[in-house]
Amino acid sequence: MSNIKNARWLVSSYPKDEVTADNFELVYEQISEPRDGEVLIQATSLVISPPLRMAIGTGGITGNRVKLGDLMRGSGQGIVVNSRNPHFKAGDLVAGPFGWQEYAITDGERPFPLEKISPRAGQPITANLHVMGASGATAYVGLYDIAKPKVGDVIVVSAAAGSVGALVCQMAKLSGCQVIGIAGNEKKCRWLRSDLGLSEVINYKTENVGERLRAACPNGIDIYFDNVGGDILDTALGQIAQGARIVLCGATSQYEGDANWHGPANYFNLVYKEATMQGFYIFSYAHRFKDAYRRLGDLIANGELIYNEDVLEGVEQLPDALMRVLSGENFGTQLVKLS
Amino acid sequence: MSNIKNARWLVSSYPKDEVTADNFELVYEQISEPRDGEVLIQATSLVISPPLRMAIGTGGITGNRVKLGDLMRGSGQGIVVNSRNPHFKAGDLVAGPFGWQEYAITDGERPFPLEKISPRAGQPITANLHVMGASGATAYVGLYDIAKPKVGDVIVVSAAAGSVGALVCQMAKLSGCQVIGIAGNEKKCRWLRSDLGLSEVINYKTENVGERLRAACPNGIDIYFDNVGGDILDTALGQIAQGARIVLCGATSQYEGDANWHGPANYFNLVYKEATMQGFYIFSYAHRFKDAYRRLGDLIANGELIYNEDVLEGVEQLPDALMRVLSGENFGTQLVKLS
């Protein structure tokens, strides 16, 4: 063991606007042996989603950004390779916020909590990093608890081919909603039409979103599930129906360029349309996770719910993976397979 | 009757930014006699509130702005001086959207609906133009139905000395909230402190609102009742507490300069704080008006609720009255007494 080096990505500088590979430095360090109470984990996959950008920006919800010279933040799953903690044994499949590195050590709580997970039949080992994890729970809570869809509601979903968006689209369709998806390239738009069966799909990079929305929902938008913020949020707010619910889930368009978030000038339509704009934090809904995973698991088993994994291989790919999700080049949940 | 002229304010041009007297033209026209089914009303008072600016701007909720050369929009009360409608008789006190003129004719529905009203003991004849009318109902519904205050909640109210704001402040205090008022001059701030008994009052023209709010509510804002929009909305959103409710009631800072509404860049705090921003349209809550007026009437009778009328005299004052409410020079509900 002691001859193996741990590849770790440190934050070497903060991006001014767009993240570049220069913001990170790859270092190799000797792996320590776990001390009493600790476990050593070999990371197998990390998941990369746009809000991770805030780890080297505003700091996100906590306001704590990664210090220069510290390990880049990130979550993943791995296998316990050496345990001196009675709750874990070698071979356990575990998940946690390991950071961008191949090996991690924890006592189960510090420096990060560790959770034991089990693979589910019919699903990839990595499912807990998306559909049976944070993305799945977010889609479930955001749709059912916040948006509260009714049969016949017109719902618009931005980043509709994304990790959360694609689940929202499919669940909303099952709830009897008319679903309009917005995405940023033709491959995604095709997939939303053909594989997810959405009747209306808008490519925001080549089409006029406002015009397309006016044509697709002449009576207005009942639910707007926002994953991107910026101009699309503003446009959607300009076309809401009476009593609309705007679910604030993400703001991918805003994570780069931390200083100047783009406020939606059409916010006052919330008054004219007696509408509600609500944000939520998925970890406050832990009591709903069991229901969410049961429902999502059933839908997957029945073939009623599909998802995409976009997998890069090798620890070297981590900065690229982040750049991919921020530019929208990824197709589905962005994973980086490490071992 | 036929020798009396009706003074009427027509819209002669649309303001680019700030309204000026030049946007209106005062004309005198012969009064018509009511035809069968119609009543002739002599307006006694008109009420001027900031959203009226949209009548010559975006058009507000309907999008219909007053056409050039047409009568300026506005609501008031008056006395029936001649009736050929069986539902109204000479001497009836009535209210309706008369427009900016001394005399108006209607069949009770067209060109505007007419409502019979009765003065209430202990209240001015004009009470239905504010505390026992739209402002009172707006404060009541906005606070109780939308914000849903709990004892101990910290509520921040902008335009706190205004027609709606002052009622919200007092009702919230009675509900056991800590009330922080924001206003634009020392006279208003003094009144909020001394007469309304608010512990914290911020003069947004001379003080740093963000700093004062941080000091006054170190644990964040539970309810922000927004009457102004713009920078103050943005600042408040930056300092909300977990589970905050932002009530969108008005946007006085935004009604001038129709093209460029200022979207709140801090809107994403709604995610971090699991907060809700909601607009409402008072006329959807007609079922609550009776309760509202009963409660407001009781509070006034008990001396627990006060309000200000700011009265200008004479039809010539109407454009000035609108400029006053938009600049915040008025102190309380702006009325123009016509006869």
Side-chain angles (χ1 to χ4, degrees):
Chain A
M1 201 73 184
S2 57
N3 287 329
I4 301 173
K5 298 274 186 176
N6 183 14
R8 318 179 81 215
W9 281 103
L10 309 184
V11 176
S12 55
S13 64
Y14 296 127
K16 289 260 185 302
D17 288 300
E18 292 192 5
V19 172
T20 68
D22 292 343
N23 298 128
F24 305 98
E25 184 193 3
L26 185 58
V27 299
Y28 295 88
E29 286 177 11
Q30 196 65 40
I31 295 171
S32 324
E33 290 296 324
R35 289 173 301 186
D36 197 34
E38 291 184 337
V39 294
L40 175 68
I41 303 139
Q42 183 171 9
T44 51
S45 288
L46 296 183
V47 62
I48 306 295
S49 65
L52 196 56
R53 169 63 176 80
M54 293 191 283
I56 49 174
T58 59
I61 191 167
T62 62
N64 290 326
R65 65 173 173 180
V66 179
K67 290 195 184 66
L68 293 179
D70 276 5
L71 181 69
M72 177 60 184
R73 219 170 272 158
S75 289
Q77 63 179 191
I79 292 171
V80 174
V81 290
N82 193 351
S83 177
R84 295 184 60 189
N85 179 312
H87 302 300
F88 299 94
K89 62 178 194 300
D92 280 350
L93 183 62
V94 290
F98 301 157
W100 284 14
Q101 57 183 348
E102 293 177 307
Y103 291 90
I105 283 179
T106 176
D107 66 8
E109 295 299 330
R110 278 172 306 268
F112 59 84
L114 194 64
E115 187 197 352
K116 222 182 299 189
I117 52 176
S118 310
R120 290 175 178 84
Q123 296 175 25
I125 300 290
T126 44
N128 75 296
L129 294 179
H130 47 92
V131 64
M132 302 303 278
S135 294
T138 298
Y140 184 93
V141 166
L143 184 67
Y144 297 126
D145 293 26
I146 312 292
K148 300 189 176 74
K150 297 186 302 291
V151 171
D153 274 348
V154 174
I155 176 171
V156 175
V157 181
S158 56
S163 197
V164 172
L167 303 179
V168 172
C169 286
Q170 294 173 88
M171 290 193 290
K173 205 158 169 267
L174 291 167
S175 292
C177 298
Q178 179 193 339
V179 184
I180 298 161
I182 304 176
N185 67 43
E186 270 314 304
K187 184 178 173 192
K188 293 178 186 177
C189 289
R190 249 195 326 272
W191 181 73
L192 290 169
R193 273 188 218 98
S194 62
D195 293 43
L196 261 51
L198 304 194
S199 52
E200 297 286 347
V201 178
I202 303 172
N203 181 335
Y204 76 89
K205 286 193 177 156
T206 61
E207 298 184 279
N208 182 314
V209 176
E211 282 174 18
R212 284 292 318 278
L213 286 178
R214 263 187 297 278
C217 31
N219 298 318
I221 300 164
D222 296 304
I223 298 171
Y224 173 55
F225 197 102
D226 185 36
N227 292 306
V228 301
D231 288 337
I232 297 179
L233 169 59
D234 215 1
T235 300
L237 275 169
Q239 298 191 37
I240 51 177
Q242 203 67 19
R245 289 83 77 201
I246 291 88
V247 181
L248 295 178
C249 178
T252 301
S253 74
Q254 303 295 296
Y255 299 139
E256 307 223 63
D258 307 309
N260 295 300
W261 279 61
H262 179 100
N266 286 322
Y267 84 94
F268 206 66
N269 242 359
L270 297 174
V271 174
Y272 294 154
K273 300 297 185 182
E274 310 186 78
T276 302
M277 185 152 90
Q278 185 171 357
F280 67 107
Y281 183 56
I282 190 57
F283 296 104
S284 295
Y285 290 82
H287 59 287
R288 296 284 280 154
F289 289 4
K290 213 181 194 176
D291 288 345
Y293 300 146
R294 188 187 305 120
R295 170 79 173 154
L296 290 159
D298 287 349
L299 292 176
I300 293 167
N302 296 342
E304 295 179 288
L305 188 85
I306 60 171
Y307 50 85
N308 267 325
E309 290 186 346
D310 186 334
V311 183
L312 294 175
E313 304 241 355
V315 70
E316 301 79 11
Q317 302 291 328
L318 281 162
D320 276 349
L322 180 58
M323 290 184 270
R324 277 171 66 84
V325 297
L326 290 169
S327 68
E329 279 173 77
N330 66 304
F331 181 34
T333 302
Q334 182 68 61
L335 299 174
V336 178
K337 203 161 182 287
L338 299 187
S339 57
Chain B
M1 200 74 183
S2 56
N3 286 328
I4 300 171
K5 298 273 186 177
N6 183 15
R8 318 178 80 218
W9 280 104
L10 309 183
V11 176
S12 55
S13 64
Y14 296 128
K16 290 260 183 303
D17 288 300
E18 292 192 5
V19 172
T20 67
D22 292 342
N23 297 129
F24 305 98
E25 185 194 3
L26 185 58
V27 299
Y28 295 87
E29 288 178 8
Q30 196 64 40
I31 295 170
S32 325
E33 290 298 321
R35 289 174 300 188
D36 197 34
E38 290 182 338
V39 293
L40 174 68
I41 303 138
Q42 182 170 11
T44 50
S45 289
L46 296 183
V47 62
I48 306 295
S49 65
L52 196 56
R53 169 65 176 79
M54 293 191 283
I56 48 174
T58 60
I61 190 166
T62 61
N64 291 326
R65 65 174 172 179
V66 179
K67 292 195 182 67
L68 293 181
D70 276 4
L71 181 70
M72 175 61 184
R73 218 169 271 159
S75 289
Q77 63 180 191
I79 292 173
V80 173
V81 290
N82 193 350
S83 176
R84 294 183 60 187
N85 180 311
H87 301 299
F88 299 93
K89 63 177 195 302
D92 279 350
L93 183 62
V94 289
F98 302 157
W100 284 14
Q101 57 183 349
E102 293 176 306
Y103 291 90
I105 283 180
T106 177
D107 67 8
E109 294 300 329
R110 276 173 306 268
F112 58 84
L114 194 64
E115 186 196 353
K116 221 182 301 188
I117 53 176
S118 311
R120 289 176 181 83
Q123 295 176 24
I125 300 290
T126 45
N128 75 297
L129 294 179
H130 48 91
V131 64
M132 302 303 279
S135 294
T138 298
Y140 184 93
V141 166
L143 183 67
Y144 297 127
D145 293 26
I146 313 292
K148 300 189 176 73
K150 298 187 301 293
V151 171
D153 275 349
V154 174
I155 176 170
V156 174
V157 181
S158 56
S163 196
V164 172
L167 303 179
V168 171
C169 286
Q170 294 173 87
M171 291 191 290
K173 207 159 169 266
L174 290 167
S175 291
C177 298
Q178 180 193 337
V179 184
I180 297 161
I182 304 177
N185 68 43
E186 271 314 304
K187 184 180 171 189
K188 293 177 185 176
C189 290
R190 247 194 330 270
W191 181 74
L192 291 169
R193 273 189 217 98
S194 62
D195 292 42
L196 262 52
L198 305 193
S199 51
E200 296 287 347
V201 178
I202 303 172
N203 181 334
Y204 77 87
K205 287 194 176 155
T206 61
E207 298 184 279
N208 183 313
V209 176
E211 282 176 18
R212 284 293 318 279
L213 285 177
R214 265 187 295 279
C217 31
N219 298 319
I221 300 165
D222 297 303
I223 299 170
Y224 173 55
F225 198 102
D226 185 35
N227 292 305
V228 300
D231 288 336
I232 297 180
L233 169 59
D234 214 1
T235 300
L237 275 169
Q239 298 192 36
I240 51 177
Q242 203 68 19
R245 288 85 76 202
I246 291 87
V247 181
L248 295 178
C249 179
T252 302
S253 74
Q254 304 295 296
Y255 298 139
E256 308 223 61
D258 307 310
N260 295 297
W261 279 60
H262 178 101
N266 285 320
Y267 84 93
F268 206 66
N269 242 359
L270 296 174
V271 174
Y272 293 153
K273 300 298 184 180
E274 309 186 78
T276 303
M277 186 153 87
Q278 186 171 355
F280 67 106
Y281 183 55
I282 190 57
F283 296 105
S284 294
Y285 290 82
H287 59 287
R288 295 283 280 153
F289 289 4
K290 213 179 192 180
D291 287 346
Y293 299 145
R294 188 187 304 120
R295 170 78 173 153
L296 290 159
D298 287 350
L299 292 176
I300 293 168
N302 296 342
E304 294 180 288
L305 189 85
I306 58 171
Y307 50 84
N308 267 326
E309 292 187 345
D310 186 334
V311 184
L312 293 176
E313 304 242 354
V315 70
E316 301 78 13
Q317 302 292 327
L318 281 161
D320 275 349
L322 180 58
M323 290 184 265
R324 278 169 67 85
V325 297
L326 291 168
S327 67
E329 278 173 77
N330 66 307
F331 180 34
T333 302
Q334 182 69 61
L335 299 174
V336 178
K337 203 161 182 288
L338 300 188
S339 57

